[in-house]
Amino acid sequence: MINGSKVIDHPIRWAMVGGGKGSQIGYIHRSAALRDNNFQLVAGAFDINPERGMAFAAELGVAPDRCYPDYKTMFAEEAKREDGIEAVSIATPNGMHYEVLKAALEAGLHAVCEKPLCFTSEQAEELVALAKKSNRVVGVTYGYSGHQMVQQARQMIKNGDLGDIRVINMSFAFGGYNDKIEETNPAAKWRFDPSKAGPSFALGDVGTHPLFIIEAMLPDMTIDSLMCTKDSFVEGRELEDNAFTIMKLKAGENIQEGAKVYCWSSSINCGARHYHKIRVVGSKASLEWDDERPNQMSYEIEGEPVRVLERGAGYLYPEARVEDRIGGGHAEGLFEAWANLYRRFAVAMDAVNNGKDAEAEYGDFWYPDVAAGAQGVKWIEKCVESANNGSSWVTY
């Protein structure tokens, strides 16, 4: 059980690029990183407007001389200090992720980056190689994967409780952009601008979340080919607000020949808050997880009553119970899930700093890393390629 005790010798000196005042995602980053005293926020380039950034830094308790007008200045000035930053989180619009992450790695910093890492597979491969060359940890904030029941599903599949996996049905289909919200909401406007958001909206903004969750549940999963259709139902949008993707998987451990994955990515599912669900169908049983009810997961064996597994319960696998924060029965949510990921990021960074292997020390240790981020970029690219070519099948 996580109780706030130290897992590393000293908090990692940490900064943020973006995530300024009014940024919902910036607040989630800070809450998660600071939850277990594994990170210490000492610097930042929080806002494209330096004055606003300086004012916000004061509210956060960051020293004025360590609040910077831009990330380049911050990386250069912090490198001169004996107590300079060791890691940075990147919470800017998509169009800046690649340049900031590349600069961070070149500056010898660990990084946590919002998805997508970049816009093209070539850029993603460059970042993967750079992270390996510089021996730095890159975490990607697929935040929902930090929920305890995702870890439980991973262990159930690994241990054969579901048999061979045949079908996965997943969705992230909310309704918040059912009308042209970008005309009145500046935070939404950039998401439909290809120069800032990249080649996709719905696929990249929400579709990659369930994609990584099933990668976490089935670490040996390999996509063979896929087919995608996408639409912009709201008039005037340059990027899609709805997409359907079918994926064929290669046979593998616990994955049956011919297994399929179906994914609905949408922002125009009118009336839906999130509709972020994962259903995994095996030859023995199925499981289903819903991120709006993250503390429960249904476990369904043919011919038997449906079982609802509860977070924190003693019958879960030990690998899942280890991330309890407040005991069974009490509801945990997104902040706890993100905190679990930031805890893993800290463990991975500390292990690298001390020449250790986190997986060797902690067993089935995983987190969404730079390779997972690159996989998301490739998936978006292949989906767009398929949709732009008459929804044809494309080799993955």
Side-chain angles (χ1 to χ4, degrees), residues 228-303:
C228 177
T229 177
K230 62 185 180 73
D231 297 280
S232 299
F233 281 106
V234 175
E235 187 177 352
R237 285 179 173 166
E238 292 185 70
L239 298 174
E240 87 287 345
D241 49 28
N242 193 81
F244 296 96
T245 307
I246 303 174
M247 292 164 269
K248 297 177 183 177
L249 301 184
K250 292 183 179 179
E253 187 175 359
N254 296 321
I255 301 175
Q256 186 170 323
E257 181 75 38
K260 301 287 192 305
V261 181
Y262 302 87
C263 180
W264 179 22
S265 313
S266 183
S267 67
I268 52 93
N269 184 16
C270 191
R273 296 294 295 168
H274 256 200
Y275 208 81
H276 183 191
K277 300 181 180 183
I278 312 288
R279 183 173 181 83
V280 183
V281 179
S283 58
K284 293 182 181 178
S286 301
L287 60 79
E288 185 166 313
W289 179 80
D290 179 347
D291 96 344
E292 293 180 69
R293 298 164 184 81
N295 294 280
Q296 292 81 35
M297 182 168 66
S298 67
Y299 176 37
E300 306 166 19
I301 302 173
E302 184 63 34

Side-chain angles (χ1 to χ4, degrees), residues 13 19 41 61 112 141 163 182 209 259 262 267 271 287 301 366 377:
R13 297 185 300 275
L41 183 63
V112 176
T141 49
E182 60 268 28
H209 279 295
Y262 302 87
S267 67
L287 60 79
I301 302 173
W366 60 273
V377 173

Side-chain angles (χ1 to χ4, degrees), residues 68-204:
Y68 300 95
D70 56 73
Y71 73 88
K72 293 179 181 178
T73 304
M74 179 169 71
F75 294 169
E77 291 301 313
E78 288 291 314
K80 299 174 184 177
R81 303 177 62 114
E82 287 188 10
D83 63 347
I85 59 172
E86 301 168 280
V88 62
S89 287
I90 302 162
T92 66
N94 296 359
M96 290 185 65
H97 293 176
Y98 167 73
E99 63 178 85
V100 182
L101 179 53
K102 181 180 178 182
L105 292 172
E106 289 174 340
L109 299 172
H110 299 294
V112 176
C113 188
E114 279 294 318
K115 48 79 190 162
L117 294 182
C118 51
F119 289 167
T120 69
S121 287
E122 289 77 15
Q123 290 176 335
E125 289 167 6
E126 180 185 2
L127 293 171
V128 170
L130 186 54
K132 183 177 181 180
K133 179 182 177 182
S134 60
N135 195 27
R136 298 293 87 182
V137 168
V138 176
V140 184
T141 49
Y142 290 122
Y144 303 98
S145 65
H147 281 292
Q148 186 182 136
M149 300 312 284
V150 173
Q151 182 73 295
Q152 171 68 11
R154 177 186 176 99
Q155 300 306 318
M156 291 175 72
I157 294 169
K158 178 181 178 180
N159 286 283
D161 297 345
L162 274 63
D164 289 332
I165 305 307
R166 293 170 169 172
V167 175
I168 300 172
N169 192 18
M170 62 192 198
S171 62
F172 199 152
F174 70 105
Y177 290 4
N178 190 58
D179 54 25
K180 211 162 188 178
I181 186 174
E182 60 268 28
E183 289 187 341
T184 56
N185 184 344
K189 188 173 183 179
W190 68 265
R191 299 181 184 276
F192 294 97
D193 180 349
S195 68
K196 295 182 174 65
S200 160
F201 168 58
L203 290 160

Side-chain angles (χ1 to χ4, degrees), residues 6-16 30 33-43 66 78 83-89 108-112 136-137 341-354:
K6 291 199 306 181
V7 293
I8 59 177
D9 288 338
H10 74 274
I12 293 167
R13 297 185 300 275
W14 171 64
M16 289 195 72
R30 289 187 293 276
L34 301 175
R35 178 71 63 93
D36 299 316
N37 199 36
N38 293 321
F39 293 88
Q40 181 183 10
L41 183 63
V42 297
R66 300 187 77 173
E78 288 291 314
D83 63 347
I85 59 172
E86 301 168 280
V88 62
S89 287
L109 299 172
H110 299 294
V112 176
R136 298 293 87 182
V137 168
L341 287 190
Y342 259 97
R343 187 174 185 270
R344 294 182 207 171
F345 296 157
V347 167
M349 292 174 187
D350 185 67
V352 167
N353 289 347
N354 290 286

